[in-house]
Amino acid sequence: QVQLVESGGGLVQPGGSLRLSCTISGSSSSIVNRYAMGWFRQAPGMRRELVASISSGITNYADSVRGRFTISRDITKNTVDLQMNNLKPEDTAVYYCNLVGRTGDSILDWGQGTQVTVSS
C-alpha cells in the first residue's frame, strides 16, 4: 500500500522558515520516478493548490511562493523536501506532498499532511 508521510510543519512567526519533508513508501522507485513530485497546500475554505513541483531537476513554483520556497528531491529515497523562507500569514495551510501528473493533478491518495501556521 502506497503511503505519503509529511512532516516538519509547525507554528512560526512571519519572516521565519520551516523545512517540510515527505516520504513515499510502498511503491517502487521505477514507478515513482516516472512522475514529478510536488507540494500542495490547502488553506481553510480554499481549494487545494499546487505550490511547487520538481521533475528531472526542473522546478516550478506558484507565483505566490516563487523566490521564497525551494523544492528538492532525492530519487534514491523517494523523498521530497520543501524549504520555506520568509513565511507570510497567507502561507498558513495544511501542506501535502504527492506525485504530480502532466496537468498538475495529484496521482496518489492523499496523506495526512502537515499543518503550517504563520502568525505573530
Side-chain angles (χ1 to χ4, degrees):
Q1 181 178 357
V2 178
Q3 280 191 313
L4 298 167
V5 180
E6 301 94 345
S7 63
L11 172 64
V12 64
Q13 293 186 342
S17 298
L18 283 174
R19 187 176 183 88
L20 307 183
S21 295
C22 168
T23 299
I24 299 178
S25 62
S27 180
S28 69
S29 294
S30 62
I31 294 175
V32 170
N33 293 338
R34 293 177 187 173
Y35 296 95
M37 291 185 73
W39 282 92
F40 298 74
R41 69 184 181 188
Q42 186 168 23
M46 304 292 285
R47 296 182 63 181
R48 198 169 308 189
E49 62 171 344
L50 177 64
V51 297
S53 65
I54 184 169
S55 178
S56 300
I58 298 173
T59 56
N60 287 286
Y61 298 94
D63 289 343
S64 58
V65 307
R66 188 175 292 112
R68 301 186 296 120
F69 290 11
T70 302
I71 188 170
S72 58
R73 177 178 186 177
D74 187 334
I75 62 173
T76 65
K77 298 180 181 178
N78 283 351
T79 61
V80 59
D81 291 350
L82 187 69
Q83 177 66 42
M84 305 186 297
N85 298 327
N86 190 22
L87 283 160
K88 303 176 180 181
E90 51 264 41
D91 294 319
T92 296
V94 180
Y95 284 71
Y96 303 86
C97 67
N98 212 316
L99 302 181
V100 182
R102 293 182 179 181
T103 59
D105 55 316
S106 58
I107 300 298
L108 302 174
D109 290 340
W110 296 104
Q112 292 186 331
T114 185
Q115 175 71 49
V116 171
T117 303
V118 185
S119 175
S120 55

